[in-house]
């Protein structure tokens, strides 16, 4: 998300960075990651604001769109890259772990696209970019994440077929492994932290798994 926001701003977009504003484990408050992105964009001469909304909450997403309109006048492009992990084998997974991942990935993608689609329809132009994952093909220990990411593919196809008449496109990106803030909380991420003293998302900067490599695809 950070790499995408910065690259889009560099290419002339005014960016709203929508992040829940909590720790990597989903607890407490941590506005720093989003603010760092906003500050970097502004330092580079771009325009950006942060919005600390819950992508899984329909009304909060709507409020973010209102903030975007007030700040920049219109919305043209949405990129759905918010994500959480609650990895567990299916026989150990709780209902809460299933619901949390489906809410952020699948309902969150719907919420953003639903609010965007009404505006795109009126202005007869818009771009939807949704993120799936190779985990959609059946990653063990990720029945919730894999199901959500596979569903996003079907949703994106329906979105494309629904919105093309309004001069809108919808695409899904399916990246392989990238070292994001989300992966910092995984066992592999914790191992990297112990070995290098840095979170995986920082330790892998400049490598092929740097998430900024995905930004040009968007």
């Amino acid at each position: 998300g950070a790499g995408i926001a910065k690259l889009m701003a560099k290419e002339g977009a005014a960016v709203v960075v929508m992040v829940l504003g909590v720790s990597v484990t989903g607890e407490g408050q941590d506005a720093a990651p989003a603010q760092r992105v906003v500050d970097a964009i502004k330092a580079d001469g771009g325009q950006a604001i942060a919005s600390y909304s819950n992508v899984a909450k329909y009304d909060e997403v709507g409020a973010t769109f209102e903030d975007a309109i007030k700040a920049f006048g219109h919305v043209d492009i949405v990129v759905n890259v918010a994500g959480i992990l609650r990895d567990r084998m299916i026989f150990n997974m709780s209902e809460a772990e299933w619901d949390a991942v489906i809410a952020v990935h699948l309902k969150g993608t719907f919420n953003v696209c639903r609010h965007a689609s009404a505006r795109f329809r009126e202005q007869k132009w818009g771009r939807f970019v949704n993120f799936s994952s190779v985990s959609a093909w059946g990653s063990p220990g990720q029945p919730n994440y894999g199901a959500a990411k596979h569903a996003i593919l079907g949703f994106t196809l329906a979105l494309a077929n629904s919105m093309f008449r309004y001069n809108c496109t919808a695409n899904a990106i399916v990246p392989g492994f990238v070292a994001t803030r989300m992966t910092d909380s995984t066992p592999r991420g914790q191992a990297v932290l112990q070995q290098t003293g840095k979170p995986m998302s920082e330790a892998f900067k400049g490598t092929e798994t740097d998430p900024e490599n995905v930004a040009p695809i968007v």
Side-chain angles (χ1 to χ4, degrees):
I4 293 163
K6 288 186 281 189
L7 181 58
M8 292 187 76
K10 188 174 182 179
E11 295 189 346
V15 178
V16 179
V17 181
M18 186 168 70
V19 181
L20 185 54
V22 296
S23 71
V24 71
T25 57
E27 301 165 344
Q29 292 183 324
D30 187 3
Q35 194 57 49
R36 280 197 296 269
V37 175
V38 170
D39 291 344
I41 288 172
K42 289 182 175 180
D44 202 32
Q47 300 181 75
I49 60 172
S51 174
Y52 299 98
S53 298
N54 185 344
V55 73
K57 302 288 187 181
Y58 184 85
D59 290 340
E60 289 189 26
V61 174
T64 293
F65 272 80
E66 294 299 327
D67 291 342
I69 298 299
K70 289 176 184 176
F72 303 124
H74 52 94
V75 177
D76 303 294
I77 304 165
V78 291
V79 181
N80 286 293
V81 71
I84 63 170
L85 293 175
R86 298 291 184 272
D87 291 355
R88 198 85 64 189
M89 294 299 287
I90 184 62
F91 41 78
N92 291 324
M93 180 165 288
S94 70
E95 182 182 11
E97 289 167 335
W98 172 272
D99 288 347
V101 170
I102 296 298
V104 171
H105 290 272
L106 186 54
K107 189 181 178 187
T109 297
F110 162 77
N111 286 341
V112 172
C113 291
R114 169 62 181 84
H115 285 288
S117 65
R119 298 181 183 279
F120 290 177
R121 181 188 178 197
E122 289 179 2
Q123 67 197 30
K124 292 184 169 53
W125 199 93
R127 298 290 180 261
F128 303 92
V129 181
N130 299 327
F131 267 72
S132 181
S133 166
V134 293
S135 293
W137 314 140
S139 176
Q142 293 188 313
N144 47 4
Y145 185 77
K149 289 305 190 182
H150 208 293
I152 285 169
L153 296 175
F155 174 75
T156 303
L157 289 167
L159 190 62
N161 285 328
S162 301
M163 295 297 296
F164 79 93
R165 68 200 67 192
Y166 305 109
N167 199 28
C168 298
T169 61
N171 290 276
I173 293 173
V174 186
F177 174 79
V178 289
T180 66
R181 187 167 175 253
M182 184 176 71
T183 63
D184 289 344
S185 63
T186 65
R188 182 179 177 185
Q190 292 300 305
V192 170
L193 178 62
Q194 291 180 355
Q195 292 167 5
T196 68
K198 296 180 180 180
M200 179 187 284
S201 54
E202 293 182 17
F204 286 20
K205 287 283 186 185
T207 71
E208 64 180 13
T209 60
D210 188 332
E212 295 201 6
N213 293 330
V214 180
I217 303 172
V218 177

